């Protein structure tokens, strides 16, 4: 079970960093006490997180409260309590009599921007975990094939914010929920001005740091791809793209 859990958690972390590069992930373990295995880590230092995941070992005791309290400590010391935060609470056993995690779950809920997902590994009812995360965010793993399914479902739920439009993303950025976002400057400057997002400003990236914008085509659209590439090249050469950008952006 531990090997499968490590593999699923590593895959989940890699996918999250890829989908949301400004994500920061921390890792807490618990038995009779809680331990911060790895503090909040960004994509550039993800090797530290992966090493932490691989170091996990099963041992005695199941104190839900101790683990959740360490998560609370991490959030309180993160430097940005406004960020949307997601907790994956995973256990393969019922809690100790004095470590149900109920009090800590109430603290997390009171923060307002923390969502907790619970994963019970071969636990009959998972009642205590459901008390922490709610029935709607509880997932049960009862077979080897469930690991990837469960983590994939949670991943999709967490990254669903990418369906926000640019204005919604920038509003969240203005409120401190994100540290930065990369967009084209003309569009962002117009939104900042029109929506009075006074906490934001654009910073020009160096030429070697600027991302590219791609049009995606299906495998059976080779001819369309060639046509679009040719037209874009022509529009760039004759200055049409620059004129359109100046007029509309």
């Amino acid at each position: 079970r531990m090997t499968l859990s490590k593999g699923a958690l590593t895959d989940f972390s890699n996918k999250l960093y890829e989908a949301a590069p400004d994500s920061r992930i921390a890792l807490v373990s618990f038995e009779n006490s809680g331990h911060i295995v790895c503090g909040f880590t960004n994509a550039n230092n993800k090797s530290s997180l992966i090493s932490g995941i691989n170091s996990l070992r099963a041992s005695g005791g199941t104190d839900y409260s101790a683990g959740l309290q360490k998560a609370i400590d991490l959030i309180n010391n993160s430097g940005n309590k406004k960020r949307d935060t997601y907790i994956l609470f995973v256990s393969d056993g019922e809690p100790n009599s004095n470590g149900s995690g109920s009090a800590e779950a109430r603290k997390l809920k009171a923060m307002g921007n923390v969502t907790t997902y619970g994963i019970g590994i071969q636990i009959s009812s998972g009642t205590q975990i459901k008390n922490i995360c709610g029935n709607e965010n509880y997932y049960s793993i009862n077979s080897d094939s469930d690991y990837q399914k469960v983590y994939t479902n949670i991943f999709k739920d967490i990254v669903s914010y990418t369906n926000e439009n640019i204005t919604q993303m920038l509003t969240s950025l203005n409120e401190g929920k994100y540290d930065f976002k990369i967009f084209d400057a003309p569009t962002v400057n117009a939104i900042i001005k029109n929506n009075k997002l006074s906490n934001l400003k654009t910073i020009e990236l160096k030429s070697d740091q600027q991302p590219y914008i791609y049009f995606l085509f299906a495998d059976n659209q080779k001819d369309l791809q060639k046509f679009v590439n040719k037209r874009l090249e022509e529009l760039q050469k004759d200055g049409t793209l620059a004129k359109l950008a100046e007029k509309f952006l």
Side-chain angles (χ1 to χ4, degrees):
R1 289 189 289 185
M2 180 59 76
T3 299
L4 290 170
S5 293
K6 290 180 182 180
L9 190 54
T10 297
D11 184 58
F12 173 89
S13 301
N14 285 326
K15 286 181 178 178
L16 187 59
Y17 280 136
E18 183 177 352
D22 60 339
S23 296
R24 299 183 302 160
I25 305 175
L27 181 65
V28 170
S29 67
F30 64 93
E31 9 35 61
N32 289 321
S33 57
H35 310 276
I36 296 176
V37 179
C38 182
F40 282 113
T41 304
N42 59 29
N44 291 331
N45 298 307
K46 70 176 183 179
S47 60
S48 298
L49 175 69
I50 304 304
S51 295
I53 293 173
N54 289 329
S55 72
L56 294 175
R57 298 289 183 273
S59 58
T62 314
D63 191 328
Y64 287 6
S65 296
L68 288 173
Q69 185 57 53
K70 289 298 181 182
I72 292 171
D73 293 343
L74 278 167
I75 295 170
N76 285 335
N77 295 322
S78 66
N80 187 354
K81 298 179 184 179
K82 294 181 180 180
R83 287 178 67 107
D84 289 334
T85 303
Y86 302 89
I87 294 175
L88 272 64
F89 184 84
V90 186
S91 180
D92 63 354
E94 299 290 351
N96 301 340
S97 58
N98 295 322
S100 68
S102 297
E104 289 73 22
R106 289 192 292 271
K107 292 178 185 178
L108 290 168
K109 187 175 182 179
M111 291 182 180
N113 62 331
V114 178
T115 301
T116 302
Y117 295 90
I119 301 177
I121 302 176
Q122 296 182 1
I123 297 177
S124 57
S125 66
T127 301
Q128 293 296 338
I129 299 180
K130 291 176 184 176
N131 289 339
I132 293 170
C133 66
N135 290 335
E136 69 281 3
N137 286 342
Y138 176 76
Y139 293 84
S140 180
I141 291 179
N142 296 307
S143 66
D144 292 355
S145 61
D146 289 339
Y147 283 85
Q148 288 297 337
K149 293 178 183 177
V150 166
Y151 279 93
T152 297
N153 286 335
I154 295 175
F155 165 78
K156 289 179 179 179
D157 198 23
I158 290 177
V159 300
S160 63
Y161 78 88
T162 55
N163 290 325
E164 293 177 321
N165 60 39
I166 294 178
T167 300
Q168 290 171 324
M169 288 185 183
L170 291 175
T171 300
S172 295
L173 184 64
N174 188 67
E175 293 172 352
K177 293 182 178 180
Y178 310 134
D179 292 331
F180 69 92
K181 289 289 181 183
I182 297 178
F183 295 109
D184 60 288
T187 300
V188 170
N189 285 329
I191 294 173
I192 290 174
K193 180 179 179 181
N194 294 337
N195 292 273
K196 297 179 176 158
L197 304 177
S198 57
N199 292 329
L200 301 184
K201 66 177 181 179
T202 56
I203 300 174
E204 185 174 353
L205 297 176
K206 298 178 181 178
S207 58
D208 60 347
Q209 296 176 329
Q210 293 183 4
Y212 294 96
I213 297 175
Y214 300 92
F215 293 97
L216 301 180
F217 298 91
D219 289 339
N220 61 353
Q221 294 180 317
K222 300 295 185 183
D223 291 340
L224 177 60
Q225 181 183 11
K226 290 179 181 178
F227 173 79
V228 171
N229 286 340
K230 182 179 179 182
R231 288 296 295 138
L232 287 174
E233 185 176 355
E234 292 172 351
L235 292 171
Q236 185 178 30
K237 284 183 177 180
D238 66 17
T240 301
L241 287 181
K243 293 177 182 177
L244 290 173
E246 184 175 350
K247 181 177 180 179
F248 295 104
L249 301 178

